[in-house]
Amino acid sequence: MQVVDFTVRSNEPLNDQNHLLKVTPVGDEKLPEMYPGQFVQILVDSSLHVFLRRPISINFVDKKKNEIWLLIQKVGEGTKKICSIPEGGILNLIFPLGNSFTLPEKRGSYLLVAGGVGSAPMLFLGSKMKENGIEADFLLGGRSAKDILQREDFAQLGSLYCTTEDGSLGEKGFVTHHSLLKEKRYDFIYTCGPKPMMMAVAEYARNQGIECEVSLENLMACGFGVCLCCVEKTVRGNVCACTEGPVFNMKELLW
Amino acid sequence: MAELKVHIGDLELKNPVMTASGTFGYGTEYADFIDLGRLGGIFVKGTTLTPRQGNDYPRMAETPSGMLNAVGLQNKGVDYFVEHLYPIIKEYDTHMIVNVSGSTIEDYVACAEKLANLEKMPAIELNISCPNVKEGGMAFGTSCQSATLVTREVRKVFPKTLIVKLSPNVTSISEIARGVEDEGADAVSLVNTFLGMAIDVESRRPKLSTITGGLSGPCIKPIAIRMVWEVFNAVKIPVIGMGGICHWQDAIEFILAGASAVQVGTFNFIDPTASVKIVEGIHDYLERHHISSVDDLVGKMIV
């Protein structure tokens, strides 16, 4: 873990709610190894209502350009401020934080399921799998076509399937209703998104006897295991989602 | 060179900057960020006689210039601490001080006894001010009678430096401070968190599972400074000040109000290197003002 100032190389709005920030260390120091599922804690210039850092998952690491990609949804005042930082602006990060998804060691059929901005860590996970010669299936859900982010990037890593609630892209409905889940048998499912969605995915996996890892986004203050605020109830008792997670095997959770 | 050394009871601190219990884990978590040996001391996470799972999630709510927490003393118990954590942290080149909490006086005493035997545990901080546990905790710190009783009983079994951490959720904090001083406390630390609450207006539900929780951060600083000043004027033992310290100016403010040393708390979450920056800031301040020692500044607000 380290605390480092980053320069914002680009800040691109992907739709009315989400921005993609590409950042590189101010001093050009080489980025450490990072793993899919890990996150950063972003310092927001303090104001009356924003006191704590904002945890944001790592969307992608571009080793050649020494850049971290951060996909940020404007949820409240803090994330709005981060999204308003112009190109050339400075962002202070504590990183890398948390554990990571289990990277598959052998070829098989892998499904990465995400809802909304939950797709952020899936791009990094998919790219690492591709590096290892594994092409996964991606199933992304959102309210509308504009909510399915970074489609071109995902399409390069494997097969992309979508669901939208209004039917404007892919199949109409929720990810767990997609026909793919009836047609294909997977060895492992990875998921990130709204909790009800992840719980539905986990239930599907449990019923099918498929391994499943979920990435939680519990409210946290520190991000490195000292405040004990982001706890999740597990078979091992209360554990910090920031250090023992954010990725959990569904078998550990009391869902 | 300005002298940063300060004394709390028999304890000599290399500088007056320590980190507050519950915000610094066991120190280990910060070893990536700072040289722990540069701190005056580290108050480790609240420890109880038996393991505690703490309260249900959600335990945290951000508030204007601060946060509420309702962790509820989640910890693995004193035996686990002695067996697994102490062997690691005793090697650190700073004072490691355990914050001791309990639901009954017997709990406090038994826990303190186990810690008294540890060679590199020079002090304990008696937590009679945790607002997040149903029994004990703050209940001991909000009545003068129980605060003095628990201090008296622990004093009998703990011969080293005994620091009592006071609750601000009282009518007269100086009365309680005098009470624990009379029972032999070597120092008092203040303030613990303020009891507060927050409600989500859309769902109309409390933001914390426990409804109420402890408020910390810069929003409490002016009240904490006032309480340190009151207690400084009421007791002879050293006062350790805390409450919203983020920068060296905050630490100096506490010292001027009467704190012999300070603890950095919630701000460790936001800047894990803050405590060390504060040590440097205090040093530079003393040099700039030609003050030879921190001790010369304690309670020296000019009125």
Side-chain angles (χ1 to χ4, degrees):
Chain A
M1 295 185 292
Q2 43 187 310
V3 191
V4 175
D5 277 339
F6 281 73
T7 305
V8 176
R9 279 222 179 121
S10 67
N11 177 350
E12 177 194 356
L14 300 185
N15 60 20
D16 54 343
Q17 273 191 59
N18 294 279
H19 282 235
L20 177 63
L21 273 68
K22 296 181 179 174
V23 303
T24 191
V26 166
D28 283 335
E29 54 270 36
K30 192 170 173 281
L31 290 170
E33 197 61 47
M34 285 171 269
Y35 302 95
Q38 289 190 300
F39 65 101
V40 304
Q41 276 276 46
I42 305 182
L43 182 67
V44 186
D45 258 347
S46 61
S47 68
L48 184 62
H49 291 282
V50 184
F51 176 59
L52 301 168
R53 286 177 183 256
R54 292 297 184 263
I56 300 291
S57 66
I58 297 171
N59 179 223
F60 182 68
V61 176
D62 187 332
K63 281 193 173 171
K64 257 191 236 151
K65 293 186 177 167
N66 207 39
E67 280 177 355
I68 303 178
W69 294 15
L70 302 167
L71 178 57
I72 298 162
Q73 183 179 17
K74 292 188 265 183
V75 178
E77 207 178 315
T79 42
K80 271 182 202 147
K81 275 196 155 191
I82 296 168
C83 289
S84 71
I85 295 179
E87 211 178 290
I90 302 293
L91 215 52
N92 181 273
L93 308 184
I94 303 178
F95 83 110
L97 299 169
N99 70 353
S100 56
F101 290 106
T102 308
L103 278 172
E105 285 171 3
K106 58 178 186 357
R107 277 163 202 272
S109 63
Y110 300 97
L111 178 65
L112 281 60
V113 188
V117 75
S119 64
M122 294 306 175
L123 189 71
F124 192 19
L125 177 58
S127 70
K128 280 280 179 197
M129 288 169 74
K130 174 107 184 190
E131 271 177 33
N132 296 343
I134 295 167
E135 289 210 359
D137 287 350
F138 298 91
L139 175 53
L140 307 183
R143 267 193 288 275
S144 182
K146 69 173 175 52
D147 301 316
I148 314 284
L149 306 165
Q150 299 178 301
R151 293 203 290 268
E152 297 78 16
D153 296 310
F154 279 109
Q156 288 180 15
L157 303 174
S159 305
L160 177 62
Y161 304 87
C162 301
T163 61
T164 48
E165 287 169 45
D166 65 1
S168 56
L169 182 74
E171 293 185 14
K172 187 173 175 174
F174 293 126
V175 282
T176 38
H177 299 142
H178 197 281
S179 54
L180 187 66
L181 298 180
K182 294 183 193 78
E183 291 158 10
K184 203 166 165 183
R185 167 84 195 180
Y186 289 96
D187 297 322
F188 208 114
I189 298 178
Y190 302 90
T191 185
C192 182
K195 197 167 179 182
M197 184 216 85
M198 288 197 291
M199 289 176 95
V201 172
E203 194 188 341
Y204 167 82
R206 192 178 297 117
N207 291 339
Q208 300 285 318
I210 304 170
E211 289 279 325
C212 177
E213 284 184 349
V214 307
S215 176
L216 303 183
E217 48 169 17
N218 293 2
L219 278 175
M220 55 182 70
C222 69
F224 43 89
V226 296
C227 74
L228 309 186
C229 289
C230 64
V231 290
E232 180 69 23
K233 265 193 186 141
T234 70
V235 292
R236 292 176 283 142
N238 283 331
V239 302
C240 284
C242 65
T243 48
E244 310 263 336
V247 178
F248 290 90
N249 190 302
M250 114 198 133
K251 286 180 205 152
E252 286 187 283
L253 303 175
L254 307 182
W255 286 8
Chain B
M1 277 292 277
E3 181 58 79
L4 288 178
K5 247 182 238 165
V6 296
H7 294 86
I8 301 292
D10 291 334
L11 204 58
E12 182 179 283
L13 310 178
K14 62 179 87 171
N15 66 62
V17 182
M18 301 185 278
T19 55
S21 175
T23 69
F24 216 72
Y26 296 92
T28 326
E29 295 87 340
Y30 284 80
D32 276 6
F33 302 121
I34 56 168
D35 172 4
L36 299 169
R38 294 188 63 193
L39 298 174
I42 295 173
F43 287 76
V44 307
K45 175 69 191 159
T47 300
T48 49
L49 185 60
T50 51
R52 287 181 57 94
Q53 276 295 314
N55 294 320
D56 282 346
Y57 180 87
R59 293 174 170 186
M60 192 275 288
E62 191 175 30
T63 60
S65 300
M67 62 176 272
L68 286 162
N69 90 79
V71 172
L73 292 172
Q74 180 178 331
N75 78 100
K76 291 182 173 168
V78 69
D79 291 334
Y80 182 90
F81 172 82
V82 171
E83 200 174 325
H84 299 283
L85 299 169
Y86 173 72
I88 302 169
I89 68 175
K90 74 181 170 64
E91 304 299 334
Y92 295 149
D93 180 26
T94 185
H95 292 304
M96 303 299 293
I97 299 168
V98 174
N99 176 286
V100 173
S101 203
S103 305
T104 64
I105 289 185
E106 292 74 29
D107 285 359
Y108 279 102
V109 170
C111 197
E113 263 183 317
K114 286 173 190 267
L115 296 166
N117 300 325
L118 304 179
E119 189 196 350
K120 293 216 170 155
M121 185 59 57
I124 58 171
E125 179 178 54
L126 207 56
N127 181 358
I128 56 167
S129 43
C130 175
N132 292 324
V133 290
K134 278 204 188 82
E135 290 159 359
M138 195 175 86
F140 285 102
T142 48
S143 118
C144 201
Q145 199 187 356
S146 56
T148 52
L149 191 59
V150 67
T151 306
R152 184 186 311 158
E153 295 305 316
V154 171
R155 179 76 287 178
K156 285 178 192 164
V157 301
F158 193 80
K160 297 187 253 185
T161 302
L162 178 61
I163 302 162
V164 180
K165 186 169 184 177
L166 304 181
S167 172
N169 302 299
V170 294
T171 310
S172 171
I173 195 166
S174 35
E175 190 185 320
I176 308 234
R178 269 196 300 265
V180 303
E181 178 183 38
D182 288 345
E183 296 300 338
D186 297 301
V188 285
S189 56
L190 59 136
V191 295
N192 205 321
T193 55
F194 286 80
L195 203 54
M197 62 188 268
I199 306 167
D200 182 290
V201 293
E202 294 302 326
S203 66
R204 294 193 245 160
R205 292 180 185 280
K207 287 189 175 177
L208 300 174
S209 68
T210 47
I211 305 179
T212 62
L215 181 66
S216 63
C219 56
I220 70 166
K221 195 187 82 175
I223 323 179
I225 299 263
R226 183 265 293 176
M227 289 183 158
V228 164
W229 172 245
E230 280 181 8
V231 171
F232 171 71
N233 286 298
V235 299
K236 293 185 183 66
I237 52 176
V239 177
I240 301 170
M242 81 194 93
I245 296 177
C246 302
H247 308 290
W248 64 264
Q249 293 93 332
D250 305 320
I252 296 286
E253 205 177 339
F254 271 92
I255 294 167
L256 289 169
S260 296
V262 297
Q263 293 179 20
V264 182
T266 306
F267 200 64
N268 290 314
F269 303 155
I270 290 125
D271 181 1
T273 67
S275 49
V276 167
K277 288 179 190 161
I278 292 170
V279 175
E280 290 163 3
I282 292 174
H283 179 264
D284 293 349
Y285 175 88
L286 295 179
E287 298 269 300
R288 191 154 48 82
H289 286 267
H290 309 292
I291 299 165
S292 57
S293 158
V294 177
D295 283 337
D296 296 340
L297 207 60
V298 176
K300 293 295 163 60
M301 173 176 71
I302 299 166
V303 284

